[in-house]
Amino acid sequence: MSIENLKSFDPFADDALDDEGVAAPASDTIDIRVQQRNGRKKVTTVQGLPQEIDFKRLLKAFKKSFCCNGTVVKDETHGKIIQLQGDQRRNIFEFITNEGIAKKENVKVHGP
């Protein structure tokens, strides 16, 4: 006799599955987030970019295109993360998709 309702259930487990039910690799998605600093100040972070990209050149292109400052931060779990001043989510999404760095379905913009 087995009791089925004692098994753990993760309601978000199927979000990581693709069409065939196989777990999609998390490294394929590029996450663009905005974080509130103090007052009206915001920081936009971009993580999940392929490691073969030259982050310094990409950051220089972002800074020149969006008229903002930024930096590349190394994180142990997420790899290299680009941080930009201000809410640049829409600009980064358009830049990444137009330049062919990633497809639209591989880029996830978080927040409203």
Side-chain angles (χ1 to χ4, degrees):
M1 181 172 150
S2 68
I3 301 173
E4 290 294 319
N5 64 353
L6 293 180
K7 292 182 180 178
S8 64
F9 174 71
D10 186 8
F12 301 107
D14 58 340
D15 285 346
L17 302 178
D18 62 2
D19 294 337
E20 288 105 26
V22 180
S27 63
D28 284 349
T29 61
I30 297 174
D31 296 307
I32 304 172
R33 293 182 172 87
V34 66
Q35 297 173 345
Q36 186 77 30
R37 276 187 35 213
N38 47 356
R40 292 173 34 199
K41 309 289 184 182
K42 296 182 181 180
V43 174
T44 304
T45 59
V46 182
Q47 69 183 35
L49 289 167
Q51 294 299 318
E52 58 268 5
I53 290 180
D54 187 3
F55 282 85
K56 287 186 179 182
R57 285 184 57 203
L58 183 62
L59 178 64
K60 188 174 182 179
F62 282 163
K63 288 164 56 171
K64 194 167 191 173
S65 297
F66 311 147
C67 300
C68 67
N69 201 2
T71 186
V72 176
V73 178
K74 293 180 184 176
D75 187 50
E76 294 176 1
T77 57
H78 301 294
K80 293 183 179 179
I81 299 173
I82 294 180
Q83 291 183 341
L84 295 171
Q85 288 180 343
D87 188 359
Q88 306 291 340
R89 290 175 292 182
R90 184 170 294 136
N91 295 334
I92 292 171
F93 177 76
E94 291 174 2
F95 187 93
I96 288 175
T97 54
N98 290 342
E99 293 297 323
I101 296 172
K103 297 178 183 176
K104 287 184 180 182
E105 50 271 358
N106 292 344
V107 179
K108 185 168 183 179
V109 179
H110 298 271

